[in-house]
Amino acid sequence: MAAVEGWEDVPAQVRRRHAELATEIEEHRVRYYEQDAPIVSDAEFDSLMRELEALEAEHPALVTPDSPTQKVGGGAAEGFTKVEHRERLLSLDNAMDDGELAAWADRVARELDGIDYHYLCELKVDGLAVNLTYEHGRLTLAATRGTGRVGEDITANIRTIKEIPQQLKGDDLPALVEIRGEVYLPTEAFEELNASFAAENERRKAENEERAKEGKRPQALLKLFANPRNAAAGSLRQKDPLVTASRPLHMVVHGIGAREGFVIDCQSHAYQLLRDWGLPTAKHNEVVGTLDEVRAFIKQYGEQRHSVEHEIDGVVVKVDEIALQGRLGSTSKSPRWAIAWKYPPEEVTAKLASIKVGIGRTGRATPYAVLAEPVKVAGSMVQYATLHNQQVVKAKGVLLGDTVVLRKAGDVIPEILGPVEDLRDGTEQEFVMPSHCHECGSELRPMSEGDIDLRCPNAEFCPAQIRERIAYLGGRESLDIEGLGYVAATALTQPLEPADAPVKNEGDIFGLTVEQLLPIRVLVRDPKTGMPKLDDATGEEREVAFFANLKGQPKKNTTVLLDNLAGAKERQLWRYLNGLSIRHVGPVAAQAVAREFRDLDRIFAASEEELAAVEGVGPIIAKAIVEWYQEDWHREILRKWREAGVRFVEEAPEEEGERPLEGLTVVVTGTLAGHTRDGAKEALVVRGAKVTGSVSKKTDFVVVGDNPGSKYDKAVQLGLPVLDDAGFAVLLESGPAAARAHLGLPTGEEEPAEVTTEGADQG
């Protein structure tokens, strides 16, 4: 992000924490939206986001268009064609308690003072957000939410869901309509699916014992889904639609995006229209007139949440009238006319066996709890829980041997809320954070002033960091190399007595040979405990060749890995930068830098000032990039990659053409006849304009529709050019000069003596 006014006045510690939070949130979004494998609970993610929002509220200079607070969702996952939504999908702001719900309702009431309106209450389905496009009644595209602007094309898989019509019913069908909804797996079906997987695994285990006696390769076991949401997402992202068809998926539609050829007055009325077209709408909706009735709806389903056919994590409350939704508008990522009430995550108690410490790819030492036995919480079995850092452990007052309260809202790893002190018997012991890395012996310490986290400073030689970096390099958010997952990264980075490990750091990846891979052996581990299995005859730990078969010949995974490494030499530039595990540099920042410089060598030759000036970067990330390159062994990684034929330069994409509205600041207010509010904003942004939510002297045009509110009044007061639907069309098609001429205003650089609003719809 480019430095903005007031940036220097923000304390360095605050800027550092802001950058850390932004990076961590972006990584969690990648795991949730792209990998369907979140590692933090909804509540923990919400806490990180709220901390970021609080920092930005106190220090507005931290707010940039690239901040997680200004964006929707995550990226689009690899493996599917990327498609742009005609109208952006927004995310909902959350209300975690009655006070926040009441505050939202008060804001709505103030904005709609004197206007009659209603609330539409509906259940918040815990599924995968999907956007269906129908043209003249025929389904032409289905896509995931993705970034809100760009998603994945999953049309072939969506067509296998029986209740989603390929052709809408009726005669008077619109030319175009986007239908928004959630694809889900019913709770009962999820349990049956996992039970069938478990039964199949038992059959395979028994068969594998016989295969082992015959010297045959064992069959792989099926991976059980963590929860219904992951099951639905994983089923929809199958490359083979037949697999998707075998899963009992359902959908519930809850909104309309871009549309042509019809008008709706209330969202609840739109649901009847959707039902008439043959679409599966929600069964548990209610239109009410007061906030107390909203509270009653929330209370009712809070008590009945397990009786609903699908997982829910809250209630969505919307202003029902469409015109008033347009008047209320939205922020950069969330509508102001709707909010999601989040139910408190489910809680269970469990015995804490131990607290271990993991070392991440940037050296961060993270304590995590190990439970004495797996427990079922929010529909899945868990045995580990995050504890973040040593200060969190102390703050929560957790002792080894405690019975602890776990909270989980459908994610993979829950969080520990605290101990049940009344159950202590005196044998509990305080957790002591290790002073040294358990894998390389280096002393753990903060890496900069003000850091809370302890880190292992031995980035070059620490086995844990090397292993984690190699696994990250092969992951979807980096080079997306099939065959280079965590298990392979572990095998490649372990020493081969008496030789060194084939991969000592990232620089060795592209030079791997068959001869290096065949000798690698790995321990056979129990899938439940993770402990090495012992040989029945000798009592020693069992080892097997990882890349070679029983005859010493290369396995399929050997060929797959080497072929994909060769293909990975021509990836997008940002993927190499992100894959280097530079602290603070995540996928978003890497893309911004790569888009600006188009050359890896140019990136590392740039100064901190040049890097910080890139939109979406800033001084903290810039400094991290420069400091990374100052290490000799880091430059050696790049040298090896270059010699291996990795492409360090990329051409600018052809689609980066003219942006006729570049430099303009535009405000959109009211309900337009030809565009939805978000559709109008999208049309402006893609042409280069900056769309803001407030009118000022720096505003170039104000676009108004029905019920424009106070923004129109302020535009007239300031003498700004005001465009109605017709004028807006001129602006989009012919540019600002033509739009000013449409209003009868001078088209040059000089300011007009008098501004009229002739031709504008004053609402």
Side-chain angles (χ1 to χ4, degrees), residues 304-427:
Q304 301 175 5
R305 61 189 297 188
H306 294 294
S307 66
V308 181
E309 64 270 22
H310 48 67
E311 290 279 330
I312 64 173
D313 59 2
V315 168
V316 178
V317 185
K318 306 173 180 176
V319 171
D320 194 27
E321 290 77 7
I322 300 298
L324 299 183
Q325 291 181 3
R327 175 166 181 159
L328 291 167
S330 61
T331 66
S332 62
K333 68 183 185 69
S334 304
R336 293 191 177 94
W337 46 266
I339 197 164
W341 166 275
K342 299 296 286 289
Y343 287 121
E346 293 183 318
E347 299 175 0
V348 299
T349 57
K351 195 74 171 179
L352 176 63
S354 64
I355 296 177
K356 296 185 177 180
V357 176
I359 302 296
R361 61 190 176 94
T362 60
R364 180 183 178 186
T366 303
Y368 62 94
V370 182
L371 306 180
E373 294 181 356
V375 295
K376 188 172 184 178
V377 52
S380 59
M381 302 300 294
V382 297
Q383 194 170 10
Y384 305 98
T386 182
L387 284 166
H388 308 290
N389 57 55
Q390 69 282 1
Q391 290 192 12
V392 170
V393 179
K394 186 174 182 179
K396 291 181 181 291
V398 175
L399 302 180
L400 299 174
D402 263 335
T403 296
V404 294
V405 179
L406 291 158
R407 178 171 63 184
K408 182 170 181 286
D411 292 341
V412 176
I413 298 180
E415 61 177 332
I416 289 180
L417 294 181
V420 183
E421 296 186 16
D422 290 345
L423 296 179
R424 287 177 174 168
D425 60 12
T427 62

Side-chain angles (χ1 to χ4, degrees), residues 38-91:
I39 60 172
V40 296
S41 68
D42 280 353
E44 182 182 345
F45 180 86
D46 288 343
S47 176
L48 293 172
M49 182 63 79
R50 285 177 173 234
E51 182 181 353
L52 189 70
E53 289 170 345
L55 287 179
E56 292 183 354
E58 187 175 355
H59 304 283
L62 295 173
V63 181
T64 68
D66 210 42
S67 170
T69 64
Q70 307 300 306
K71 297 189 294 182
V72 177
E78 297 298 320
F80 291 86
T81 303
K82 309 297 185 301
V83 292
E84 289 190 17
H85 304 303
R86 293 174 186 265
E87 183 175 313
R88 188 162 55 109
L89 281 78
L90 299 175
S91 62

Side-chain angles (χ1 to χ4, degrees), residues 457-461 465-466 469 504-507 580 628-640:
N458 186 20
E460 184 175 4
F461 299 110
Q465 292 185 62
I466 297 170
R469 292 202 308 267
K504 292 180 282 298
N505 61 39
E506 297 89 321
L580 291 171
W628 184 91
Y629 189 71
Q630 290 172 352
E631 294 283 348
D632 291 342
W633 67 277
H634 287 161
R635 294 195 297 274
E636 182 68 8
I637 290 172
L638 298 180
R639 184 191 67 77
K640 289 182 178 180

Side-chain angles (χ1 to χ4, degrees), residues 271-311:
Y271 287 170
Q272 183 58 53
L273 179 63
L274 296 175
R275 280 192 289 272
D276 292 342
W277 287 343
L279 289 158
T281 57
K283 304 174 185 177
H284 311 284
N285 295 344
E286 187 175 346
V287 177
V288 300
T290 68
L291 186 58
D292 282 341
E293 289 174 296
V294 171
R295 292 185 176 112
F297 184 94
I298 290 171
K299 183 176 184 295
Q300 175 188 347
Y301 283 99
E303 296 169 350
Q304 301 175 5
R305 61 189 297 188
H306 294 294
S307 66
V308 181
E309 64 270 22
H310 48 67
E311 290 279 330

Side-chain angles (χ1 to χ4, degrees), residues 200-210 221 528:
E200 173 62 14
N201 283 343
E202 291 301 316
R203 187 195 67 78
R204 293 187 182 188
K205 289 176 185 177
E207 189 172 317
N208 283 344
E209 292 180 5
E210 296 301 318
L221 299 181
K528 293 184 178 179

Side-chain angles (χ1 to χ4, degrees), residues 88-125:
R88 188 162 55 109
L89 281 78
L90 299 175
S91 62
L92 295 174
D93 283 335
N94 295 327
M96 310 303 290
D97 55 42
D98 188 74
E100 293 181 352
L101 177 66
W104 170 79
D106 286 344
R107 288 194 295 272
V108 170
R110 286 195 301 271
E111 188 68 25
L112 303 181
D113 186 30
I115 301 175
D116 188 33
Y117 61 94
H118 300 82
Y119 297 111
L120 171 63
C121 301
E122 55 193 36
L123 301 184
K124 189 173 184 295
V125 181

Side-chain angles (χ1 to χ4, degrees), residues 389-632:
N389 57 55
Q390 69 282 1
Q391 290 192 12
V392 170
V393 179
K394 186 174 182 179
K396 291 181 181 291
V398 175
L399 302 180
L400 299 174
D402 263 335
T403 296
V404 294
V405 179
L406 291 158
R407 178 171 63 184
K408 182 170 181 286
D411 292 341
V412 176
I413 298 180
E415 61 177 332
I416 289 180
L417 294 181
V420 183
E421 296 186 16
D422 290 345
L423 296 179
R424 287 177 174 168
D425 60 12
T427 62
E428 295 80 15
Q429 297 180 351
E430 184 176 353
F431 166 72
V432 179
M433 184 72 177
S435 59
H436 292 75
C437 174
H438 64 278
E439 294 217 29
C440 72
S442 299
E443 184 176 2
L444 301 176
R445 58 179 175 81
M447 297 302 289
S448 59
E449 184 180 352
D451 270 0
I452 295 174
D453 297 322
L454 300 179
R455 295 179 186 268
C456 171
N458 186 20
E460 184 175 4
F461 299 110
C462 176
Q465 292 185 62
I466 297 170
R467 179 175 64 246
E468 296 288 337
R469 292 202 308 267
I470 297 301
Y472 184 78
L473 183 65
R476 287 182 178 179
E477 57 269 48
S478 294
L479 299 186
D480 193 16
I481 301 172
E482 184 180 354
L484 188 57
Y486 191 82
V487 176
T490 302
L492 290 168
T493 55
Q494 68 181 11
L496 298 174
E497 298 296 343
D500 292 333
V503 174
K504 292 180 282 298
N505 61 39
E506 297 89 321
D508 298 326
I509 284 295
F510 291 106
L512 285 171
T513 64
V514 173
E515 291 73 24
Q516 287 177 299
L517 299 179
L518 294 184
I520 294 177
R521 300 180 67 81
V522 294
L523 294 175
V524 179
R525 296 183 180 274
D526 187 300
K528 293 184 178 179
T529 66
M531 299 298 294
K533 286 188 175 181
L534 303 180
D535 187 277
D536 293 337
T538 65
E540 297 180 352
E541 294 179 344
R542 289 171 54 190
E543 286 187 339
V544 294
F546 190 76
F547 290 102
N549 59 23
L550 295 176
K551 296 180 181 181
Q553 299 169 332
K555 292 181 182 179
K556 183 180 179 180
N557 64 336
T558 309
T559 305
V560 167
L561 176 59
L562 294 177
D563 287 349
N564 284 299
L565 282 170
K569 294 178 182 179
E570 295 194 3
R571 291 283 195 264
Q572 295 165 288
L573 182 61
W574 72 267
R575 293 184 171 277
Y576 299 112
L577 183 61
N578 184 50
L580 291 171
S581 291
I582 302 172
R583 193 177 175 193
H584 304 308
V585 178
V588 174
Q591 290 177 50
V593 174
R595 190 165 51 243
E596 178 71 21
F597 290 91
R598 304 290 180 192
D599 185 328
L600 202 61
D601 288 331
R602 284 188 61 210
I603 291 172
F604 288 114
S607 66
E608 282 190 37
E609 291 74 18
E610 291 171 321
L611 291 166
V614 175
E615 185 72 23
V617 181
I620 293 176
I621 294 174
K623 183 178 181 181
I625 294 173
V626 170
E627 288 182 347
W628 184 91
Y629 189 71
Q630 290 172 352
E631 294 283 348
D632 291 342

